[in-house]
Structures are given as C-alpha cells and as structure tokens.
Amino acid sequence: MLSKGSKLYSILKYKCPRCQEGQLFTYKGWSYTRFSGMHSNCPCCRQSYEPEPGFYYGAMYVSYAITTAITISLLVAMSVLLEEITLAWFLGALATALLVFFPFIFRMSRAIWINFFIHYKKTPTASA
Ligand SMILES: [Zn+2]
C-alpha cells in the first residue's frame, strides 16, 4: 500500500512529491527547534518546494483539518476513559496534545498541501 509513486508514500515519509527521493525537510528527526526547516528545492530532482511566494498559507486549511481530527479523537478518548469531563480538563488536555503534536501537524500539513499540486513523475535520474 505504501509503495513508491503513491501520494501516501510522499506524505508519510516527507519525500519530494515529484521524484519521491529527496527529503522535504532538512532535519529528519523529532525536534522542537528544527522541525520547520525545509529545503528550497528537492536535493535530487531540483523541484522547487515553494512554487510561488506564500505557497504554504494554504497548508493552514490542512492544519485546521488535522487539528479538528485530533480534537474529536481526544474528546472521544476522554469520554470513553473518564466518567466525567470538565471543560477545564478538556481544554488542558487539548492544549497539551496540540503542543506535543505541533511539529507533526506542521510537517504533515505542508506535505499534504504540496502533494495537492505536484504529482509523481518517475525521472531517469532518480535511483531505484
Ligand atoms: Zn525530487
């Protein structure tokens, strides 16, 4: 299912949407200080990662959808696990979850957004 050439491969592995070889982000690991660094072009196929100025403003819509999914999941999990949920508990848990997952939400929404516009093209320069 997660084979090269699919959008899901590019999104989940943070790979270039065009060649699926180069990394989207400069730092591969989980870091709260370096998560946002992006290459300006793909290191492998030179595809621009910012096709136009302000390209990633649209990723806010994707971020909103992911945040909504996290909010609903948290609410369902709390209502199953706890007898009673107070507004303060829910807001505290939500703020914590969003802070913890912020790098993930940021990267995932950018990866999904760029995959809306740039499609996979197998290039002869890309290995394997
Ligand atoms: Zn590429």
Side-chain angles (χ1 to χ4, degrees):
M1 183 178 155
L2 204 61
S3 59
K4 224 175 138 190
S6 74
K7 297 266 180 210
L8 211 56
Y9 180 89
S10 166
I11 292 167
L12 294 179
K13 294 200 174 260
Y14 302 134
K15 294 281 189 184
C16 167
R18 190 166 142 216
C19 71
Q20 300 195 348
E21 291 284 328
Q23 291 291 331
L24 278 174
F25 298 95
T26 51
Y27 183 71
K28 273 187 90 171
W30 184 270
S31 163
Y32 281 95
T33 51
R34 292 184 281 178
F35 69 91
S36 64
M38 268 186 107
H39 296 286
S40 56
N41 296 77
C42 173
C44 296
C45 71
R46 310 307 304 157
Q47 165 68 47
S48 172
Y49 284 163
E50 191 159 4
E52 57 190 53
F55 177 73
Y56 289 104
Y57 281 120
M60 285 191 298
Y61 298 108
V62 182
S63 171
Y64 177 65
I66 294 172
T67 304
T68 304
I70 289 174
T71 305
I72 292 170
S73 303
L74 184 70
L75 190 60
V76 169
M78 284 179 82
S79 63
V80 168
L81 296 173
L82 304 173
E83 285 181 25
E84 186 187 1
I85 310 169
T86 64
L87 184 62
W89 268 101
F90 175 68
L91 292 179
L94 182 62
T96 305
L98 292 181
L99 280 175
V100 167
F101 288 117
F102 182 68
F104 163 79
I105 296 168
F106 180 92
R107 285 185 166 189
M108 191 56 71
S109 49
R110 284 191 170 211
I112 291 172
W113 187 250
I114 198 169
N115 266 281
F116 277 138
F117 301 98
I118 298 166
H119 306 287
Y120 178 67
K121 191 192 278 179
K122 194 169 184 162
T123 52
T125 51
S127 58

